[in-house]
Amino acid sequence: WPKLVVRSVQKLNQSYINTVVRKALEEDLRPRGDITTNLITSKNKIIKAKIIAKQDGVIAGLDFCKTAFKLIGKESVFTKKISDGKKIKKNKVIAIIKAKKKTILTAERTALNFLNHASGIATLTNQFVKKISKKTKICCTRKTTPNLRTLEKYAVKKGGGHNHRYNLSDEILIKDNHISASNNLRDLVKKAIKTKKIVTVEIESINQLKQIVGLKFKRILFDNMSSSQLKKCLKLCKNKYQTEYSGNATLKNIKQISKTGVNRISVGAITHSAKSFDTTLLFR
């Protein structure tokens, strides 16, 4: 398998942003460019436009938005009125763009798609974070949009959440199908421990938990358990492991799950089901 480069979501570099945004622009412009904007006679005139929030929320993805305009027109000047990770109110200005008419018209949708997608994730993540105790971390999963994982995990952090493993090479996570395929949970965990990697074991019952309690690894993930089952399992762990819950966590039940004292709650919905943030771009 070709060597994979894992990009740190804490160091979102411009090279990565350029690559992702360029691909998105190509999707919009091949094979003949913006044939509608080309009809405008004054398309090279420099103008200003502003991006406005149409809802309350948390902003993320501004550098992706900026890059879309820059890649279309080098003359563009993108002025941020807020930073990634900051909360914004409805009708407030997010950014101002000064560029040729054709630059703004051509890049607008791609730019807003990135901004709205990332801000939607940051906003939903923040809604989860506000409902739990400070001792519990909200974590994302690998349920991400193909080729946009780095952006989405970055947005989760800007919303106050935490990143789970980035990919399959990062950490060992023994899930139900691994257990079914191996036939011996305890032996599989012992092999995992020898790798010196961070090891997480997903369990679905107290019986499974009893098979591995005592082995020295980092984290136990309790999958789709009721609060009463979870509390019993946490008591059995005796604080010897970092603990995590996964499985249908929602804004309605997240507080109850957090009250059990579990250290982390992984929520796939913050990346795979976040509603796009609502913005508009208007000429000034």
Side-chain angles (χ1 to χ4, degrees), residues 46-63:
I46 298 289
I47 61 165
K48 285 185 178 181
K50 54 187 177 182
I51 301 173
I52 301 168
K54 293 181 72 177
Q55 66 172 90
D56 296 349
V58 178
I59 294 300
L62 279 167
D63 284 341

Side-chain angles (χ1 to χ4, degrees), residues 109 114 171 213 275:
R109 178 43 50 202
F114 279 111
E171 302 175 9
V213 164
K275 184 179 178 182

Side-chain angles (χ1 to χ4, degrees), residues 16 20 114 117-118 121 141-153 166 268 270-274:
Y16 165 77
V20 172
F114 279 111
H117 183 56
I121 290 170
T141 69
R142 283 171 44 245
K143 294 177 182 178
T144 53
T145 307
N147 298 319
L148 289 182
R149 180 170 293 170
T150 300
L151 167 62
E152 293 178 352
K153 283 184 172 285
Y166 182 83
I270 57 179
T271 51
H272 71 62
S273 295

Side-chain angles (χ1 to χ4, degrees), residues 26-268:
E26 287 174 357
E27 189 175 54
D28 232 5
L29 294 172
R30 283 184 177 176
R32 297 184 183 85
D34 184 354
I35 61 174
T36 307
T37 295
N38 286 341
L39 300 174
I40 297 173
T41 54
S42 60
K43 59 181 177 286
N44 288 315
K45 183 180 179 181
I46 298 289
I47 61 165
K48 285 185 178 181
K50 54 187 177 182
I51 301 173
I52 301 168
K54 293 181 72 177
Q55 66 172 90
D56 296 349
V58 178
I59 294 300
L62 279 167
D63 284 341
F64 291 81
C65 183
K66 173 184 177 179
T67 298
F69 293 107
K70 278 287 186 183
L71 289 177
I72 294 296
K74 292 180 180 178
E75 84 287 351
S76 64
V77 177
F78 188 93
T79 305
K80 301 175 186 177
K81 292 299 182 180
I82 190 171
S83 302
D84 279 0
K86 298 295 184 181
K87 294 179 180 178
I88 197 165
K89 291 289 186 180
K90 182 179 179 180
N91 296 325
K92 292 293 183 180
V93 176
I94 298 170
I96 296 173
I97 309 104
K98 183 180 180 182
K100 293 177 181 178
K101 284 183 182 178
K102 66 179 182 180
T103 296
I104 296 173
L105 289 167
T106 300
E108 173 185 356
R109 178 43 50 202
T110 298
L112 293 186
N113 281 349
F114 279 111
L115 177 65
N116 295 350
H117 183 56
S119 298
I121 290 170
T123 298
L124 181 57
T125 300
N126 190 252
Q127 289 171 358
F128 274 95
V129 169
K130 287 191 295 186
K131 285 185 173 288
I132 60 171
S133 71
K134 291 182 179 179
K135 293 181 180 179
T136 308
K137 294 178 179 179
I138 295 295
C139 300
C140 58
T141 69
R142 283 171 44 245
K143 294 177 182 178
T144 53
T145 307
N147 298 319
L148 289 182
R149 180 170 293 170
T150 300
L151 167 62
E152 293 178 352
K153 283 184 172 285
Y154 168 81
V156 165
K157 289 182 72 68
K158 290 303 173 183
H162 296 262
N163 291 161
H164 215 293
R165 60 179 180 161
Y166 182 83
N167 67 17
L168 294 171
S169 298
D170 253 5
E171 302 175 9
I172 291 176
L173 173 51
I174 298 172
K175 294 175 68 67
D176 55 351
N177 284 337
H178 297 115
I179 296 167
S180 297
S182 69
N183 296 318
N184 191 314
L185 174 56
R186 190 174 179 87
D187 283 351
L188 184 58
V189 175
K190 285 181 178 179
K191 286 181 183 178
I193 292 168
K194 289 178 181 178
T195 67
K196 305 297 181 183
K197 285 279 193 179
I198 291 174
V199 176
T200 300
V201 183
E202 178 184 282
I203 64 111
E204 297 175 334
S205 66
I206 292 177
N207 182 49
Q208 277 187 329
L209 178 59
K210 288 178 179 178
Q211 293 176 47
I212 57 173
V213 164
L215 296 177
K216 293 184 178 180
F217 59 95
K218 183 162 185 177
R219 188 182 302 128
I220 298 177
L221 190 156
F222 304 102
D223 185 50
N224 277 298
M225 286 190 174
S226 65
S227 292
S228 58
Q229 282 180 305
L230 182 56
K231 286 176 184 177
K232 289 176 183 177
C233 287
L234 291 174
K235 191 174 182 180
L236 197 59
C237 288
K238 297 178 180 177
N239 296 317
K240 291 181 179 179
Y241 305 93
Q242 188 179 84
T243 56
E244 182 172 344
Y245 174 86
S246 73
N248 298 315
T250 67
L251 288 170
K252 290 183 178 180
N253 65 18
I254 197 77
K255 188 173 183 179
Q256 182 183 1
I257 298 168
S258 175
K259 283 182 177 180
T260 63
V262 70
N263 302 131
R264 295 158 44 121
I265 305 172
S266 56
V267 187

Side-chain angles (χ1 to χ4, degrees), residues 2-28:
K3 186 176 180 181
L4 295 172
V5 179
V6 178
R7 302 183 186 276
S8 169
V9 293
Q10 294 174 322
K11 297 178 180 178
L12 203 59
N13 62 59
Q14 191 60 45
S15 176
Y16 165 77
I17 295 172
N18 286 347
T19 299
V20 172
V21 175
R22 188 173 282 113
K23 284 183 178 179
L25 287 169
E26 287 174 357
E27 189 175 54
D28 232 5

